[in-house]
Amino acid sequence: MKIQAAVARTVHGPLTLESLELEEPRADEILVRVVATGVCHTDIVVRDGMLPTPMPVVLGHEGAGVVERVGASVTKVAPGDHVVMTYNSCGGCPSCEDHAPSYCHEFFPRNFFATREDGTTALSKEGEVIQSNFFGQSSFATHALCHERNIVKVTDAVSLDLLGPLACGVQTGAGAVINALQVKAGKSIAIFGTGSVGLSAVMAAHAMGATTIIAVDMNDERLAFAEEVGATHSLNPVNGDVTAAIMEITGYGVDYALDTTGLTPVIRGAVLSLAPRGCCGVLGASAPGSEIVLDEVHFMSGGRRLIGIVEGESNPDSFIPQLINLYQQGKFPFDKMVRFYPFEQINEAIADSESGVTIKPVVRM
């Protein structure tokens, strides 16, 4: 079938809207009419050649839409269902068997290689192979093929075009707080970086009842927004030593810290801000080979912990509906971050994300 898609053909280059041929769904595949898709930092990183995803490729991994057709072996969803497409996983490795799909042993090939498991792609243009199956979906398109492992049926009581960001960026930040760190009511947390991921973490901490929520960023407008959605304090490193300021606010450090920047000096500072027995989560992507340097005496003597977190350590089938439920209750206002763009303005949406003009762009098809 013919579809419209935004194709990444050159490193750092603009995406080009093109008419492509999409194969019919195989027995284990699901055809989704994409209603809208979020723009995530990961899409930009891949476009810029920082990961070995081959080009030309259709990116996009925060898709929301309506099921149009299903393969013969699919039982999870049916035509007409409203769905969110999230990250892919194998379903058979030890992590997947333990219901921890974000740590799937095949996470990288299933999500970044932009091919099916057998190495084929579902997209082409006049005989030219176009890489597809990015994060099991390639949702920068009017239609996408996905799989039972990475599709989540959602309620039709919430606007579908709003839900795509729950698939990755929002899920990552909120899940880091709720699933990985398991922030409890009455506790304190410092969140380093207030992009869409960090702000999702702020909202989740507020929803979980954390009483001290410290947002750290160099963008004062983002810090002001963080306070609107739950932060009790905001700190800009330009104005002074953040660790010292956190100690002044809390008296002994925070129970939890979360780094969303991937910057190793920031991670060190986040760990230094921990109270005894505190835990710091790291979810920002650093350059390959980056090393985190810690003060070993401080780290060990206080029983502090440092953990890596992927995709919010979430099981999307249960966690995405949980986030929708919190949103419906007015406890998780992630919609305040969203700005919509028509499909033909996808490059503007990406540029606005890079410049910080827009916190979470969502492209409507």
Side-chain angles (χ1 to χ4, degrees):
M1 63 179 292
K2 289 289 186 181
I3 69 167
Q4 293 294 311
V7 183
R9 289 189 170 274
T10 59
V11 173
H12 297 292
L15 307 187
T16 56
L17 293 185
E18 302 180 27
S19 178
L20 304 180
E21 189 70 31
L22 176 65
E23 293 181 4
E24 293 298 310
R26 293 181 176 181
D28 61 346
E29 292 179 331
I30 301 157
L31 177 66
V32 175
R33 176 177 59 82
V34 181
V35 171
T37 185
V39 173
C40 180
H41 180 66
T42 301
D43 297 308
I44 298 170
V45 166
V46 172
R47 179 207 62 179
D48 291 345
M50 296 175 66
L51 290 168
T53 303
M55 294 184 179
V57 61
V58 176
L59 302 173
H61 63 286
E62 294 183 341
V66 179
V67 175
E68 286 203 343
R69 291 200 293 281
V70 299
S73 65
V74 173
T75 59
K76 187 177 183 180
V77 294
D81 285 345
H82 286 202
V83 295
V84 167
M85 294 177 284
T86 185
Y87 65 88
N88 203 9
S89 57
C90 75
C93 70
S95 290
C96 288
E97 289 179 352
D98 285 343
H99 305 289
S102 68
Y103 301 122
C104 174
H105 292 205
E106 296 183 19
F107 187 91
F108 201 88
R110 295 276 178 161
N111 291 284
F112 289 100
F113 281 10
T115 66
R116 294 183 174 109
E117 185 181 0
D118 64 4
T120 63
T121 71
L123 291 174
S124 62
K125 181 177 183 179
E126 298 174 353
E128 177 190 20
V129 171
I130 307 294
Q131 303 299 135
S132 65
N133 203 50
F134 182 69
F135 273 69
Q137 56 185 282
S138 288
S139 57
F140 283 173
T142 55
H143 292 77
L145 287 178
C146 66
H147 319 273
E148 286 189 305
R149 291 290 306 175
N150 74 310
I151 197 166
V152 179
K153 184 177 177 180
V154 296
T155 177
D156 59 6
V158 178
S159 177
L160 187 56
D161 57 3
L162 181 64
L163 300 183
L166 299 180
C168 185
V170 173
Q171 173 174 248
T172 295
V177 168
I178 298 171
N179 304 321
L181 296 177
Q182 298 183 17
V183 173
K184 301 296 191 296
K187 296 296 185 177
S188 59
I189 183 171
I191 296 162
F192 294 77
T194 55
S196 61
V197 173
L199 289 168
S200 297
V202 168
M203 293 181 224
H206 181 65
M208 293 299 103
T211 50
T212 302
I213 304 170
I214 304 168
V216 182
D217 203 293
M218 298 180 70
N219 184 322
D220 287 331
E221 291 184 3
R222 290 288 177 88
L223 291 175
F225 185 86
E227 292 187 353
E228 288 180 21
V229 295
T232 59
H233 301 77
S234 60
L235 299 174
N236 188 327
V238 172
N239 299 327
D241 186 293
V242 167
T243 302
I246 290 173
M247 293 300 170
E248 184 176 348
I249 292 167
T250 61
Y252 50 81
V254 287
D255 299 306
Y256 308 94
L258 180 65
D259 173 73
T260 71
T261 71
L263 301 172
T264 55
V266 177
I267 296 169
R268 176 182 170 86
V271 173
L272 288 172
S273 74
L274 290 174
R277 298 184 299 119
C279 182
C280 176
V282 176
L283 56 79
S286 303
S290 299
E291 296 182 351
I292 301 169
V293 179
L294 302 177
D295 182 322
E296 193 272 342
V297 172
H298 170 270
F299 184 70
M300 177 274 298
S301 62
R304 297 171 176 89
R305 291 175 294 148
L306 177 66
I307 62 172
I309 303 170
V310 177
E311 293 287 354
E313 207 162 285
S314 69
N315 184 334
D317 280 330
S318 58
F319 191 58
I320 288 176
Q322 180 183 348
L323 292 179
I324 294 172
N325 187 42
L326 286 172
Y327 168 72
Q328 288 176 302
Q329 295 176 42
K331 297 178 180 179
F332 190 70
F334 75 97
D335 58 318
K336 293 183 178 181
M337 299 190 295
V338 170
R339 179 183 173 188
F340 292 105
Y341 296 77
F343 192 21
E344 58 269 20
Q345 292 181 11
I346 189 168
N347 288 302
E348 180 182 334
I350 291 171
D352 286 351
S353 177
E354 290 181 290
S355 68
V357 169
T358 301
I359 299 173
K360 172 52 76 171
V362 172
V363 175
R364 285 175 167 144
M365 300 308 170

